[in-house]
Amino acid sequence: MLVSTTIKESRRIIEAWRSEGLTIGFVPTMGYLHDGHKSLIERARLENDKVVVSIFVNPIQFGPNEDLTTYPRDLERDRQICEAAGVDLIFAPSVTEMYPEKNLVYIDALILGDRLCGAKREGHFRGVCTVVAKLFNIITPERAYFGEKDAQQLAIIEQMTKDLNFDVQIVPCPIVREPDGLAMSSRNTYLSTGERQAALILSKALSVAKNLINAGERNAKVIYQKIEEVIKTEALARIDYIEIVDAKLLQPVTIIDQPVLVAIAVFIGKTRLIDNFFLREVSSR
Ligand code: PAF
C-alpha cells in the first residue's frame, strides 16, 4: 500500500495505473476510520482494480464553533486499517497542500443545502462540495463511495456530479450500525459511557417512526411528534432538528405519499450525532 501526501505524487501513481487500463474506486474520508468506512472500502475493493482512500480533515467544512481542532486523528491507526482492507493508495494531504491560499472560488449546493444539516451548519456543504470536487479532480476515480448516514451530503454530491459533469459514478452505501443500533461515526468516540447509552435514543426514535409509517401513518406531523416525544424521554439528548423531507429536493412534506428521508440531528451532551432512514417505496393506505 502506498501513502502519498502530495497531489503531484498521487497524480503520478494514478496516471501509471491509468496507462495500464486499471479502474479506480475512491473512498473520501476524514480519517479515524471505523467499520462504516471499512464497508465502503470493501465495496470499492470488489468493484475496482485499485482502491484509493483520502484522509483529510477538511477545515472549510467546519464552522467557527465546531470541532475542527478536536476532531479525532490517528494516521497510523488508519494506515493499518487501510492496509488490512486491501487499499492501494492513501492520499493524506496537509491543509496547505489542499489549500495553498484562500479559495476565491467555491462550489455551493443551493436548495439541497438549505435545510437539515445545511441550515444548522452554515457553509458546511460549500466546504464539502469544494473539497470533494478537488478530490475528484486529483484522484479521477471511476466510482466514489459515500455512506447513507450522511444522507444530505450524498444527495448533494450526487447532484453536484450530475450538474458539473464529473465523470464518476457515485455509489451509495448503507448505514453501518453497532450491534445495539447506534450508527457508526468517528464522533462516537467523544461520548462518555453514559452518553454512549443515551445516544441509542436516535436509532430508537427512528425505528418507532419507521414502524408508524409501516403501519400506515402518512401524516408527517404525527411522525415528527412521535420522534420528538421519544427523544425527549432521554435527559442527555437535545434535539437539533427533526426533518421529514422528499428524497429528491430535501424539502419538507406534510403527507408521506412519495419517497422521503426522515433525518434527525441530536446533541448528546456536547456531541452532535445524526441518523436517518430513507423510505423509497410508499404504499397508499
Ligand atoms: O463524509 C466525510 O467524511 C466528509 O464530509 C468528506 C466527504 C470526506 C469530505 O470532507
Side-chain angles (χ1 to χ4, degrees), residues 28-30 37 54 56 58 61 71 124 128 131-132 135 146 150 153:
T29 82
M30 297 206 301
H37 296 113
S54 65
F56 179 61
N58 174 36
Q61 70 185 71
Y71 196 86
H124 173 66
V128 170
V131 81
V132 171
L135 291 167
F146 290 85
D150 295 301
Q153 167 172 285

Side-chain angles (χ1 to χ4, degrees), residues 48-60:
N48 304 276
D49 299 317
K50 295 287 180 186
V51 176
V52 179
V53 172
S54 65
I55 296 177
F56 179 61
V57 182
N58 174 36
I60 68 164

Side-chain angles (χ1 to χ4, degrees), residues 4 7 10 14 17-18 22-31 33 36-56 58 61 82 86-93 98 128-147 153-154 157 160-161 166-173:
S4 161
I7 296 169
S10 302
I14 287 161
W17 290 342
R18 286 256 173 268
L22 303 175
T23 58
I24 295 164
F26 176 44
V27 182
T29 82
M30 297 206 301
L33 305 178
H37 296 113
K38 272 199 236 167
S39 75
L40 306 181
I41 295 171
E42 277 161 19
R43 177 90 188 263
R45 188 63 288 161
L46 284 177
E47 297 177 350
N48 304 276
D49 299 317
K50 295 287 180 186
V51 176
V52 179
V53 172
S54 65
I55 296 177
F56 179 61
N58 174 36
Q61 70 185 71
C82 286
V87 169
D88 297 286
L89 168 65
I90 294 180
F91 174 53
M98 287 299 274
V128 170
C129 286
T130 304
V131 81
V132 171
K134 283 164 75 74
L135 291 167
F136 282 178
N137 284 332
I138 295 163
I139 310 296
T140 62
E142 268 76 19
R143 295 176 198 82
Y145 297 78
F146 290 85
Q153 167 172 285
L154 171 61
I157 297 298
M160 177 186 88
T161 304
F166 281 101
D167 194 10
V168 49
Q169 182 195 339
I170 305 300
V171 183
C173 300

Side-chain angles (χ1 to χ4, degrees), residues 21-208:
L22 303 175
T23 58
I24 295 164
F26 176 44
V27 182
T29 82
M30 297 206 301
Y32 218 73
L33 305 178
H34 49 68
D35 283 357
H37 296 113
K38 272 199 236 167
S39 75
L40 306 181
I41 295 171
E42 277 161 19
R43 177 90 188 263
R45 188 63 288 161
L46 284 177
E47 297 177 350
N48 304 276
D49 299 317
K50 295 287 180 186
V51 176
V52 179
V53 172
S54 65
I55 296 177
F56 179 61
V57 182
N58 174 36
I60 68 164
Q61 70 185 71
F62 287 77
N65 300 317
E66 295 184 11
D67 56 346
L68 173 62
T69 51
T70 53
Y71 196 86
R73 292 161 168 91
D74 188 341
L75 188 56
E76 180 47 30
R77 178 180 168 277
D78 290 341
R79 202 193 58 72
Q80 287 171 21
I81 292 173
C82 286
E83 180 121 58
V87 169
D88 297 286
L89 168 65
I90 294 180
F91 174 53
S94 65
V95 172
T96 45
E97 177 72 7
M98 287 299 274
Y99 302 109
E101 47 199 38
K102 194 175 170 346
N103 277 30
L104 295 175
V105 175
Y106 292 93
I107 297 177
D108 224 328
L110 306 181
I111 188 175
L112 290 174
D114 279 356
R115 302 189 63 90
L116 303 126
C117 292
K120 300 288 176 177
R121 305 185 65 188
E122 213 196 322
H124 173 66
F125 288 115
R126 188 178 85 152
V128 170
C129 286
T130 304
V131 81
V132 171
K134 283 164 75 74
L135 291 167
F136 282 178
N137 284 332
I138 295 163
I139 310 296
T140 62
E142 268 76 19
R143 295 176 198 82
Y145 297 78
F146 290 85
E148 288 181 341
K149 175 162 163 289
D150 295 301
Q152 187 175 20
Q153 167 172 285
L154 171 61
I156 289 173
I157 297 298
E158 280 176 330
Q159 195 62 43
M160 177 186 88
T161 304
K162 206 164 134 195
D163 287 352
L164 301 184
N165 302 94
F166 281 101
D167 194 10
V168 49
Q169 182 195 339
I170 305 300
V171 183
C173 300
I175 297 178
V176 178
R177 295 181 181 278
E178 302 283 357
D180 61 7
L182 180 67
M184 290 201 182
S185 163
S186 305
R187 288 190 169 98
N188 291 350
T189 53
Y190 297 151
L191 301 169
S192 67
T193 314
E195 288 171 344
R196 169 68 184 71
Q197 189 58 29
L200 294 179
I201 205 66
L202 280 90
S203 53
K204 184 174 170 199
L206 289 177
S207 96
V208 170

Side-chain angles (χ1 to χ4, degrees), residues 111-122 124-125 149-153 155-156 240-252 260-265 272 274-278:
I111 188 175
L112 290 174
D114 279 356
R115 302 189 63 90
L116 303 126
C117 292
K120 300 288 176 177
R121 305 185 65 188
E122 213 196 322
H124 173 66
F125 288 115
K149 175 162 163 289
D150 295 301
Q152 187 175 20
Q153 167 172 285
I156 289 173
D240 193 32
Y241 69 70
I242 300 168
E243 292 259 24
I244 303 166
V245 296
D246 74 85
K248 196 170 158 43
L249 292 180
L250 308 184
Q251 297 304 301
V260 291
L261 166 69
V262 180
I264 60 178
R272 183 177 177 278
I274 58 173
D275 202 347
N276 71 74
F277 66 88
F278 275 103

